Amino acid sequence: MFIIDAHLDLSMNALEWNRDLTRPLSELNQRENGLSDKPDRAKATVSLPELRKGKIGLVVATQIARYVAPDNPLPGWHSPAQAWAQTQGQLAWYKAMEEAGEMVQVNDLASLEKQLALWNDGASAHNKPIGYILSLEGADSIVTIDHLERAYDYGLRAVGPAHYGPGRYAQGTDATGQMGEKGRELLKEMERLNIILDATHLCDDSFWEALDNFNGHVWASHNNCRALVNHNRQYSDEMIKALIDRGAVIGAALDAWMMVPGWVRGQSTPKGMNCNLEVMVNHIDHICQIAGNANHVGMGTDLDGAFGREQCPYDLETIADLQKVPGLLKKRGYTDADIENMMHGNWLRFLRKAWGTSINPRHGRGL
């Protein structure tokens, strides 16, 4: 079955983890044997060949670079300009993948339909490019509001204003507080450019302010349920209901600490915590029960988000194992139509609606 994954940090893995994602996954992991600078060394689950093997022909792929003030203990860049430069290096990697025929940017209805036609032509996916929709995880690197249109021009189509901690435009995971004037200005420009708001990582205060001040299209690329894992990174039922009311789709994430309660980083193991793909289905089912249908959830795995097999479901060796999910959903009583929607159809419906909106980004702000 064709799958869309709404959150992968491909460029971060390529550049910061120094992984040649065009190579077979076994080769990537073998080359990292003995390395210990990252907790997921030799445990990677994502490469471009594995995406093809799993029939994952379209992904939302990120740029990410955090700015940190002097009193912020999180890792990051010491100026917004440095963060912007980091995202431009990531963009250069995506462009290099396009030039090599490994990937293709999807940024409007025409390119979306072209990619779908290619992946549904009945031919082998072995040499087909992976389509990617460019998203920015955390907006700290947007040096000025004018930089957002520059980013739109090179293909940026979704923005999550925050990541972890305090941000320049919004407050993220483990932080509190409002977006403020700069954040609301960012939202206004995103709305003008028809850039999708990714509500993932927004702290509760910023989440509600964003929904109150943004009239464009909203999704949550990778988020699970607070009712099942009680942490501010997850969505409360009230937040899930608000997203459903906005027509959002929520991507189910496969980071183990977001899937099972009580996970201790560096100590817990997937088998020890009984973390498998059935647990992801529990989160999916919780969202569907709130919605009363299966129209507001999809895949948003984050499987290359600074973790690997040490911190993902024990019955997943590579991202290609997402092909196990339809069978698990079938066992829960979901119809074939429901399953197709959750594996790709909901994201497609969302994108067709969002990109069917007529805009002219060249119109000046406030006109």
Side-chain angles (χ1 to χ4, degrees):
M1 181 179 293
F2 183 76
I3 296 175
I4 296 174
D5 190 333
H7 190 83
L8 289 176
D9 296 308
L10 296 175
S11 64
M12 181 184 79
N13 275 254
L15 300 183
E16 295 183 49
W17 269 246
N18 195 15
R19 288 171 171 165
D20 181 358
L21 297 180
T22 67
R23 306 301 303 161
L25 192 63
S26 58
E27 181 180 314
L28 298 189
N29 285 326
Q30 183 178 16
R31 192 160 186 176
E32 293 183 0
N33 278 334
L35 297 181
S36 59
D37 59 313
K38 310 279 189 186
D40 60 330
R41 286 300 189 193
K43 302 180 184 72
T45 61
V46 178
S47 69
L48 299 181
E50 287 301 311
L51 288 172
R52 296 186 184 98
K53 181 179 176 182
K55 299 181 182 177
I56 305 164
L58 181 61
V59 303
V60 178
T62 66
Q63 297 170 290
I64 181 170
R66 180 190 297 116
Y67 161 72
V68 291
D71 60 348
N72 187 341
L74 292 172
W77 297 101
H78 292 183
S79 72
Q82 289 170 280
W84 171 263
Q86 174 80 353
T87 64
Q88 299 314 289
Q90 294 164 349
L91 175 67
W93 180 80
Y94 288 119
K95 294 301 183 185
M97 291 300 96
E98 290 187 61
E99 291 171 5
E102 296 280 351
M103 300 181 74
V104 61
Q105 189 179 89
V106 173
N107 54 35
D108 57 19
L109 277 178
S111 55
L112 175 65
E113 301 301 343
K114 182 178 179 181
Q115 181 70 358
L116 295 175
L118 175 65
W119 274 76
N120 287 286
D121 65 3
S124 168
H126 181 69
N127 292 314
K128 290 178 179 177
I130 303 299
Y132 77 99
I133 299 167
L134 191 62
S135 178
L136 180 63
E137 187 172 23
D140 289 353
S141 61
I142 302 298
V143 181
T144 70
I145 294 298
D146 289 337
H147 281 69
L148 190 61
E149 186 165 334
R150 291 167 60 180
Y152 178 91
D153 287 343
Y154 63 61
L156 185 68
R157 292 297 180 267
V159 171
H163 190 224
Y164 278 85
R168 296 181 62 231
Y169 295 99
Q171 315 316 315
T173 300
D174 293 330
T176 59
Q178 304 292 326
M179 296 185 70
E181 184 178 350
K182 284 184 64 175
R184 292 190 293 272
E185 186 181 357
L186 177 75
L187 294 175
K188 183 178 180 181
E189 181 70 346
M190 287 171 59
E191 188 174 328
R192 181 182 75 86
L193 294 168
N194 198 30
I195 290 175
I196 295 160
L197 169 63
D198 188 349
T200 303
H201 279 293
L202 289 171
C203 76
D204 289 21
D205 297 328
S206 290
F207 173 91
W208 293 113
E209 184 177 7
L211 292 192
D212 286 344
N213 287 275
F214 183 77
N215 298 309
H217 302 280
V218 184
W219 69 25
S221 61
H222 57 304
N223 236 103
N224 290 345
C225 306
R226 196 174 295 179
L228 303 183
V229 178
N230 187 15
H231 189 279
N232 67 77
R233 171 68 177 84
Q234 319 282 55
Y235 284 144
S236 69
D237 288 1
E238 184 183 11
M239 298 164 86
I240 292 170
K241 289 174 185 174
L243 289 168
I244 290 167
D245 288 344
R246 291 290 293 266
V249 179
I250 302 169
L254 287 176
D255 193 340
W257 82 267
M258 296 172 57
M259 299 176 67
V260 294
W263 183 276
V264 180
R265 291 177 186 268
Q267 298 181 30
S268 299
T269 64
K271 282 196 173 180
M273 299 295 287
N274 197 29
C275 181
N276 56 22
L277 288 169
E278 290 277 8
V279 177
M280 180 181 77
V281 177
N282 292 343
H283 285 270
I284 289 172
D285 190 62
H286 187 80
I287 295 169
C288 291
Q289 296 306 318
I290 292 173
N293 56 56
N295 297 332
H296 295 278
V297 67
M299 300 297 105
T301 67
D302 196 22
L303 274 172
D304 55 359
F307 66 95
R309 292 195 314 276
E310 83 290 349
Q311 196 171 301
C312 75
Y314 64 74
D315 50 352
L316 183 145
E317 286 291 319
T318 87
I319 196 168
D321 287 327
L322 286 183
Q323 288 294 340
K324 296 179 179 179
V325 176
L328 299 177
L329 292 169
K330 186 80 169 178
K331 286 199 305 181
R332 296 289 183 99
Y334 287 97
T335 68
D336 290 343
D338 289 337
I339 294 167
E340 288 192 8
N341 279 336
M342 289 187 277
M343 302 310 292
H344 61 260
N346 291 335
W347 293 121
L348 291 179
R349 184 189 69 249
F350 180 100
L351 288 166
R352 285 167 173 150
K353 181 178 179 181
W355 288 349
T357 304
S358 178
I359 64 161
N360 183 356
R362 295 302 178 185
H363 287 169
R365 289 194 295 276
L367 296 181

